[in-house]
Amino acid sequence: MENKNVQNTDTERRKRVFSAIKPTGNPTLGNYLGAMQYWPQMADEYDCLYAVADLHAITVAIEPKELRENSKRLFALLIAMGIDPEKNILFMQSHVGAHSELCWLLNNYTMFGEASRMTQFKDKSKKAPDNINVGLFDYPVLMAADILLYQADVVPVGDDQLQHVELCRTIANRFNNRYSPTFTVPVGKTPKYGARIFSLSDPTAKMGKSDGAGDGSVFLLDPPEVIMRKFKRAVTDCDTKVKASKDKAGITNLLTIYAALNNTTVESAEREFENADYATFKARVGEAAVERLRPIRERYEALRRDEGALCEIMNAGAEKAARIAKRTLDKVYKKIGFVRI
Ligand code: TYM
């Protein structure tokens, strides 16, 4: 009888996680609750790779200075929120050339119709009709390259990225069927609460990084008084009950934020605020966010004081990632039929 405990070295490796965040605008509480907050703890169970997806950031117009600053800020922030560079591979996407290389190869296994159906492409095209560039169209294929290069099993993301992970699975399956098993086919993983956090000023719109002056987005590096102000001004309704329901988008969003921050359920949050008025409830959600973000901001500020150390971490991460990526890329070139030297 087959001994299930005897495994070859390939199956012995721990499952892999890959995820990334794009350095456009300012990282928000939505990014944090939908994805980032789960990343540090995943190292207990998986081998994890996390990247600042700077190549993805140029699909929208961005100034060189802003791209540079945003990328460094995000890299430091990922460490500040708990990603230990000794236990995870943390790197800048553009530092590993294999991402762009594999993206080109995968373009040839992605159908025009499939990429055209991506809702983010359609939304972003509507928002910036003067800059519907080919990079924006190709964006999900680059994402597929990010994931497939590392043979990731699990991709922890918010709701809005699930369609891209689905496309990645389609591309991987197509390639595996055309040649032979090459890529691990990954699954997207979203949290029960927080997979889609909405704007505090318009609870029907996603909380986004680019809500500059408005009070709709809570930014991870906002000072406590700004966070409190944004929560106190959060749009609700003219009812008085702290209860989640379809016609109470603002309150539902706040309950979701509270549940995701406290690792509890919306039902238990509802019970906790059964007798509270809206002002008290909003202030309590704000305080929970302030307390969660305070140590992150403090660690972040300390990290930014030593740019040299950050560069070393970037270098080490890129080296480790490039080694894994090269193995996959070599395999892909060979399978397609390229002459290798
Ligand atoms: P990005 O930078 O838009 O967002 C980073 C992560 O945050 C999640 N997210 C949200 N979750 C809940 N509520 C929100 N309002 C909210 N806004 C954003 C996103 O779902 C995401 O998980 N293309 C990706 C980055 C990327 C990537 C990858 C992700 C590049 N390569 C490979 C996974 C795997 C992006 O722009 O995410």
Side-chain angles (χ1 to χ4, degrees):
M1 210 174 81
E2 186 194 5
N3 182 350
K4 293 239 170 69
N5 293 321
V6 178
Q7 296 178 317
N8 67 32
T9 44
D10 217 34
T11 54
E12 247 170 36
R13 83 163 167 82
R14 293 206 302 172
K15 286 200 166 177
R16 272 203 197 124
V17 158
F18 180 91
S19 202
I21 173 166
K22 187 171 76 229
T24 46
N26 234 329
T28 69
L29 190 61
N31 297 127
Y32 183 71
L33 296 181
M36 294 158 88
Q37 77 159 333
Y38 302 99
W39 296 356
Q41 73 216 33
M42 295 191 95
D44 296 340
E45 200 181 328
Y46 301 94
D47 286 338
C48 303
L49 296 107
Y50 299 112
V52 170
D54 52 352
L55 293 171
H56 278 100
I58 61 166
T59 55
V60 293
I62 186 165
E63 287 304 315
K65 204 170 139 205
E66 201 189 337
L67 175 61
R68 236 180 332 263
E69 172 54 27
N70 287 359
S71 303
K72 284 197 231 169
R73 178 175 60 201
L74 203 47
F75 195 87
L77 199 52
L78 288 171
I79 303 172
M81 44 152 264
I83 295 180
D84 179 348
E86 299 292 323
K87 293 194 190 142
N88 302 267
I89 300 182
L90 177 64
F91 67 104
M92 199 69 89
Q93 183 192 30
S94 67
H95 292 176
V96 179
H99 290 249
S100 304
E101 265 181 88
L102 184 62
C103 176
W104 169 253
L105 299 174
L106 295 182
N107 277 331
N108 302 280
Y109 304 87
T110 309
M111 297 304 119
F112 188 86
E114 287 165 346
S116 312
R117 282 195 286 278
M118 295 294 110
T119 47
Q120 272 213 347
F121 170 67
K122 289 191 261 184
D123 290 349
K124 288 187 178 173
S125 300
K126 256 189 234 146
K127 271 193 204 149
D130 305 338
N131 190 24
I132 309 177
N133 60 70
V134 178
L136 190 64
F137 186 68
D138 205 24
Y139 180 112
V141 186
L142 178 57
M143 245 182 94
D146 296 344
I147 299 165
L148 299 179
L149 267 180
Y150 302 101
Q151 309 288 353
D153 301 273
V154 180
V155 184
V157 283
D159 243 5
D160 63 338
Q161 296 301 324
L162 278 181
Q163 194 188 28
H164 293 159
V165 179
E166 256 331 291
L167 179 61
C168 170
R169 290 167 55 84
T170 303
I171 300 170
N173 278 319
R174 182 171 293 133
F175 194 96
N176 289 349
N177 290 334
R178 165 76 178 77
Y179 300 98
S180 58
T182 308
F183 296 122
T184 302
V185 182
V187 291
K189 192 173 175 196
T190 53
K192 176 147 194 249
Y193 296 113
R196 185 171 291 257
I197 298 293
F198 295 91
S199 159
L200 298 189
S201 53
D202 174 6
T204 60
K206 189 180 88 167
M207 183 182 284
K209 296 192 197 102
S210 307
D211 179 30
D215 278 348
S217 293
V218 174
F219 300 120
L220 297 184
L221 295 171
D222 273 346
E225 61 282 7
V226 174
I227 298 177
M228 287 309 290
R229 188 193 72 217
K230 290 178 175 175
F231 275 102
K232 283 181 183 164
R233 288 192 190 160
V235 168
T236 51
D237 50 59
C238 31
D239 184 30
T240 53
K241 285 255 163 302
V242 179
K243 200 119 191 69
S245 86
K246 277 214 171 71
D247 52 349
K248 288 164 72 74
I251 290 292
T252 306
N253 190 37
L254 290 169
L255 279 165
T256 306
I257 292 175
Y258 191 80
L261 277 169
N262 292 304
N263 196 19
T264 176
T265 62
V266 162
E267 292 74 24
S268 121
E270 283 174 337
R271 278 193 299 277
E272 194 176 334
F273 295 105
E274 215 166 12
N275 300 315
D277 57 33
Y278 280 3
T280 312
F281 170 56
K282 289 202 267 186
R284 288 281 301 283
V285 185
E287 281 156 18
V290 164
E291 286 324 310
R292 176 64 76 81
L293 299 180
R294 190 195 305 279
I296 297 177
R297 213 182 64 245
E298 287 168 2
R299 278 197 295 271
Y300 168 81
E301 277 158 13
L303 283 160
R304 284 308 299 269
R305 276 183 230 119
D306 191 350
E307 296 259 323
L310 270 187
C311 275
E312 273 174 35
I313 299 174
M314 272 181 210
N315 256 327
E319 245 173 57
K320 286 187 228 163
R323 229 173 290 139
I324 304 176
K326 185 174 182 308
R327 251 180 270 149
T328 303
L329 195 60
D330 279 348
K331 223 195 291 182
V332 172
Y333 274 127
K334 241 187 255 160
K335 295 222 178 170
I336 299 176
F338 286 98
V339 175
R340 305 302 286 156
I341 45 166

